Amino acid sequence: MTVLLSSGRARRIALPVAFCVGLAAVLTACGEDPDEGTNGVGKLSATEIERKARTSANAAGAVRLSGTLVTQGETFKLNMRLKTNGGTGTVTSKNSTFQLLRIEDALFLKADAGFWSHTGDEDGEDGKETTKPSGSDAEAADKLQDKYVKVPEDDPSYKQLSGFTDMKVLLAGILTLHGKLNKGARDRIGGVKTIKINGSEGDGGTLDVSLEGTPYPLQLVRAGGAGTLSLGDWGRDFELAPPAKGETLDYGSRLPATSD
């Protein structure tokens, strides 16, 4: 037997049912834990999260670092793979692009002709800076371009260039937030859940720390517009091998400056 309800009675039953369903949904949403399924660092204070990120970074054996870095008024684009005993990758400055390879203390540089022929900038007719290499510089550039040159440790460029390949030095220099730390929004970097740590509410830099697995730093927006860097492949080892003899030449004197 089918029981038919009047429209008025049906509405009286439907209203409380809908209310209960809606209330249950609200209560379920309110009970959701944003840290469920994460590594739990989102529950910590900003200072504690930063400390864990630094500890994780320092304990990792390798990292890939890419992005822009502004230092001493010069902007560099980096794409480096680094580990404790060296590193390799590409650095682009205003004047040129060069590759670096360091194994322990041995530092090798491979650059384009623009790098080797850069002897100084002069103002051209349009007021823009131009580079005018001498004949000998141009000849040397033709020979040296796309060849590896071993950088002497007493060369003034050695310290600066090797710094780009030094994992410990780079991480110590870039993983720094200025001012009072506070927790920011949650985000995703490369599909990985992160939480932002801000220095001086973002004016002192912003660091995204992974909420999945080990709390590695994944992205840093440096204070004062000093660049944005992405960090990944934490702990993923890679091979460092010296260039073959046929790929190496001796420069014979001090290398050109990498910046003005």
Side-chain angles (χ1 to χ4, degrees), residues 41 46-57 65 171 173-178 181-187 189 193-211 215-223 227-231 234:
V41 299
T47 301
E48 290 172 323
I49 296 174
E50 185 198 38
R51 185 181 302 119
K52 279 189 171 292
R54 282 183 173 276
T55 300
S56 299
L65 187 151
L171 292 181
I174 66 176
L175 295 181
T176 301
L177 299 177
H178 303 282
L181 299 182
N182 59 83
K183 291 165 67 173
R186 291 165 187 261
D187 202 349
I189 302 295
K193 293 180 180 179
T194 65
I195 185 165
K196 295 182 184 295
I197 304 300
N198 301 313
S200 298
E201 298 184 353
D203 292 338
T206 299
L207 182 67
D208 273 270
V209 179
S210 176
L211 287 174
Y216 289 123
L218 298 184
Q219 179 175 279
L220 173 69
V221 179
R222 302 185 74 208
T228 298
L229 295 165
S230 298
L231 304 102
W234 286 102

Side-chain angles (χ1 to χ4, degrees), residues 80-194:
M80 304 295 300
R81 295 195 70 182
L82 311 169
K83 58 182 183 178
T84 54
N85 67 331
T88 183
T90 303
V91 180
T92 301
S93 68
K94 181 181 70 174
N95 298 308
S96 57
T97 297
F98 49 93
Q99 297 179 45
L100 294 171
L101 168 64
R102 184 178 63 84
I103 306 172
E104 300 296 350
D105 294 328
L107 175 65
F108 299 90
L109 167 71
K110 180 195 285 188
D112 55 22
F115 176 89
W116 296 116
S117 63
H118 178 62
T119 56
D121 292 327
E122 300 175 4
D123 290 334
E125 294 179 359
D126 57 359
K128 296 182 179 180
E129 290 183 342
T130 60
T131 301
K132 296 182 178 181
S134 65
S136 59
D137 290 325
E139 184 179 352
D142 288 339
K143 294 180 179 179
L144 291 168
Q145 67 174 330
D146 299 326
K147 293 288 187 179
Y148 278 105
V149 170
K150 187 174 182 180
V151 183
E153 292 185 42
D154 60 353
D155 188 289
S157 297
Y158 181 89
K159 183 176 181 180
Q160 180 186 22
L161 293 173
S162 64
F164 288 120
T165 65
D166 193 317
M167 181 177 173
K168 183 177 180 180
V169 169
L170 269 180
L171 292 181
I174 66 176
L175 295 181
T176 301
L177 299 177
H178 303 282
K180 184 179 179 180
L181 299 182
N182 59 83
K183 291 165 67 173
R186 291 165 187 261
D187 202 349
R188 283 182 180 269
I189 302 295
V192 178
K193 293 180 180 179
T194 65

Side-chain angles (χ1 to χ4, degrees), residues 9-83:
R9 186 177 180 186
R11 282 197 299 271
R12 288 195 298 272
I13 294 174
L15 286 174
V17 169
F19 174 78
C20 291
V21 171
L23 180 61
V26 171
L27 292 175
T28 300
C30 292
E32 286 182 353
D33 182 0
D35 292 300
E36 184 177 356
T38 72
N39 54 23
V41 299
K43 298 179 180 181
L44 305 177
S45 69
T47 301
E48 290 172 323
I49 296 174
E50 185 198 38
R51 185 181 302 119
K52 279 189 171 292
R54 282 183 173 276
T55 300
S56 299
N58 291 333
V63 65
R64 178 185 290 277
L65 187 151
S66 61
T68 57
L69 178 65
V70 182
T71 176
Q72 297 180 349
E74 182 80 0
T75 299
F76 297 94
K77 292 182 180 179
L78 308 180
N79 187 3
M80 304 295 300
R81 295 195 70 182
L82 311 169
K83 58 182 183 178

